[in-house]
Amino acid sequence: MKDVNIILGERIRLGRKTNNLTREKLAELIDVSPRFLAEVESGKVGVSLQTLKNISIALSASTDYLLGLDNEYQLSQLEVLCSQLVSIDEKYLPLITAIVKEIKNID
């Protein structure tokens, strides 16, 4: 079983990237230094409850998800992906459709 700090760090990094936030911007939003956030993302250190709350708000992710207790944020990632697909040039839609069909066939 993975250590909670490693899970937390991985999920913060994923959430940050999903939300197109730099480490510096997220650190600013949650009131910590970028260096501290890097250590959190690497799983080297944990966070206070207040910082966890700030991260949850900044990333629109439940604390249960961030701590590895559920996978609720998966739906949020899907919503982000859908919003990105809306802005893609229509000429790429057949290619994207083919990719999705191939991925479904893998399962």
Side-chain angles (χ1 to χ4, degrees), residues 1-66:
M1 178 180 255
K2 282 188 180 178
D3 179 62
V4 69
N5 287 343
I6 293 172
I7 294 169
L8 177 65
E10 289 172 350
R11 292 188 175 198
I12 290 171
R13 185 180 315 107
L14 178 62
R16 180 173 59 77
K17 290 182 178 189
T18 299
N19 286 284
N20 294 317
L21 294 170
T22 63
R23 185 173 289 136
E24 290 75 16
K25 182 61 179 173
L26 179 57
E28 179 183 323
L29 291 172
I30 64 172
D31 198 29
V32 299
S33 72
R35 182 179 193 93
F36 177 75
L37 182 56
E39 290 185 6
V40 171
E41 287 185 353
S42 71
K44 293 178 182 174
V45 298
V47 298
S48 69
L49 290 176
Q50 183 62 51
T51 300
L52 180 61
K53 178 182 174 186
N54 293 346
I55 293 166
S56 175
I57 292 167
L59 299 179
S60 299
S62 73
T63 54
D64 282 354
Y65 168 77
L66 293 171

Side-chain angles (χ1 to χ4, degrees), residues 86-106:
V86 170
S87 64
I88 291 179
D89 190 315
E90 286 188 26
K91 68 182 178 185
Y92 297 113
L93 291 180
L95 178 60
I96 293 169
T97 301
I99 291 169
V100 169
K101 285 181 182 177
E102 284 298 315
I103 292 171
K104 285 175 64 176
N105 289 334
I106 292 173

